[in-house]
Amino acid sequence: MWVPTVETYAELGRRVLAGPARLGRTRLVAVDGPSGAGKSVFAARLADALAALPGGGRPPVVHTDDLLDGWADQLTFWPRLERWVLAPLRAGQPGAYRRYSWVRRCFLPRELPVPPAPVVIVEGVSAARAAVRPELTLSVLVTAPAELRSSRAVARDGPGILPELRRWHAGERAHFAADGTADAVDLVVDGAPGLPHDPGTEYVALGGGKAGIRCRS
């Protein structure tokens, strides 16, 4: 049974900085979870906490939604992330990617740099997939009830998104079940917590005890 506990982004940031770099000289953090769970907020607040730590610096945050070639690319975008971001970082070189425009339905020409920083955060559905786990310093799964996640998406993008969103949710469920994500991540976070906390500096972890960074052989 999951026991919710209040933990701080600052402490999690210290744990990340103390953890091993597994992608070249970079500590790669993956923030995974279904759409609308709160992944982007969690990633931004962890980045802010890292920026406030001595020797931290604000890490680049790569949103996998920016790499999707439309709705049909829900899970098949990964080679693009590998080629544009992960492979260069693995070699100690800067990466760069082009952001997909959901309005123009194409990748924009301007490249966004991803320097080989001490920490890089990748946020999005399937960010902590099995293929990248050996190179992760920290993997996080953010969860929230399906009804709330749907209402958040509709509030953000309008009711016209519902047909695609239903297909998207089905794809997410199939991926997480096949990937075993919930059992493999280092930390599960409640994206709709009822436990009192300061959302700017704290999050609610599920599973009891302080979140650790797993030692992987």
Side-chain angles (χ1 to χ4, degrees):
M1 181 177 178
W2 284 346
V3 178
T5 58
V6 176
E7 302 175 0
T8 68
Y9 290 103
E11 176 59 25
L12 186 61
R14 282 190 283 269
R15 289 172 179 266
V16 170
L17 291 175
R22 299 187 182 278
L23 185 72
R25 297 189 297 273
T26 292
R27 294 165 182 82
L28 184 63
V29 175
V31 181
D32 205 334
S35 60
K39 300 182 298 299
S40 297
V41 171
F42 183 91
R45 289 175 178 164
L46 177 57
D48 289 342
L50 282 160
L53 293 174
R58 197 177 201 282
V61 179
V62 178
H63 303 281
T64 64
D65 279 1
D66 290 341
L67 299 172
L68 304 184
D69 190 0
W71 285 101
D73 200 24
Q74 180 179 17
L75 301 170
T76 50
F77 70 90
W78 196 264
R80 200 173 294 117
L81 176 66
E82 169 67 28
R83 184 172 68 253
W84 290 349
V85 177
L86 301 183
L89 294 180
R90 192 178 293 120
Q93 301 297 318
Y97 65 95
R98 293 161 52 210
R99 180 182 291 154
Y100 183 80
S101 170
W102 291 81
V103 174
R104 299 182 185 178
R105 299 184 183 275
C106 67
F107 285 95
L108 301 176
R110 177 171 170 262
E111 288 192 337
L112 302 178
V114 184
V119 179
V120 171
I121 300 174
V122 175
E123 173 273 320
V125 179
S126 82
R129 63 175 65 188
V132 77
R133 280 176 201 150
E135 296 182 298
L136 295 177
T137 297
L138 174 70
S139 55
V140 181
L141 180 71
V142 184
T143 69
E147 298 81 4
L148 175 60
R149 294 190 291 102
S150 293
S151 66
R152 286 173 175 174
V154 170
R156 182 186 61 213
D157 300 319
I161 199 176
L162 278 172
E164 293 287 4
L165 189 64
R166 293 188 184 101
R167 287 191 286 271
W168 186 273
H169 284 176
E172 289 176 339
R173 289 191 297 270
H175 165 74
F176 290 131
D179 186 71
T181 312
D183 294 328
V185 295
D186 301 310
L187 172 64
V188 179
V189 170
D190 190 344
L195 201 63
H197 70 292
D198 177 0
T201 61
E202 299 171 328
Y203 60 91
V204 175
L206 299 174
K210 290 297 181 183
I213 293 178
R214 230 172 259 165
C215 293
R216 303 180 182 89
S217 58

